[in-house]
Amino acid sequence: DTEIGVAVDFLLTFLHDLPAEKLEELAHTLTEILQQRYTGHWYPDRPSKGNGYRCLNVNQSVLDPTLASAVRQCSLSTNSVSRSLPENLSLWVDPHEVSYRMGDRGPVDV
């Protein structure tokens, strides 16, 4: 759960234009969705196993379906949120580590 919280907080740093109550609602909703999604796909003894499944992508301003679902559940605009996030963002949520890459060929940062 700590890794999911770190990932959600990271994404929310780009959405500073949203009202505080909407940020809180989105954080709660996305956390719940990711917890459900990663159940059965979380391997603390082999963190890289399943990391493609646990990756969230924003490519060419198109939101990852998991993130888009949370945004819609909070009655927010997917277009508005996608414009606030970096293009070509990949965010890996793995046991013991959250890492990201911005750009097609950018370095992976932790």
Side-chain angles (χ1 to χ4, degrees):
D1 288 351
T2 301
E3 296 89 343
I4 291 172
V6 168
V8 169
D9 288 346
F10 175 78
L11 289 170
L12 294 183
T13 63
F14 298 102
L15 304 176
H16 49 82
D17 290 340
L18 292 177
E21 63 274 1
K22 279 297 182 181
L23 283 173
E24 188 175 317
E25 180 184 3
L26 181 58
H28 178 76
T29 302
L30 184 56
T31 298
E32 283 187 348
I33 289 172
L34 292 176
Q35 287 171 339
Q36 291 171 4
R37 177 172 169 78
Y38 296 162
T39 298
H41 298 275
W42 196 259
Y43 309 97
D45 55 331
R46 295 176 57 203
S48 63
K49 180 178 179 182
N51 72 343
Y53 182 81
R54 294 186 304 270
C55 183
L56 300 173
N57 288 295
V58 177
N59 293 314
Q60 305 300 322
S61 299
V62 176
L63 288 180
D64 182 275
T66 303
L67 182 53
S69 175
V71 168
R72 283 191 299 272
Q73 284 184 40
C74 295
S75 301
L76 293 168
S77 161
T78 55
N79 288 335
S80 174
V81 170
S82 67
R83 282 192 306 268
S84 297
L85 294 171
E87 257 189 45
N88 298 319
L89 169 67
S90 298
L91 180 64
W92 292 272
V93 185
D94 297 323
H96 317 296
E97 183 175 273
V98 176
S99 54
Y100 67 93
R101 182 181 66 212
M102 291 187 203
D104 289 335
R105 292 174 177 66
V108 175
D109 295 309
V110 179

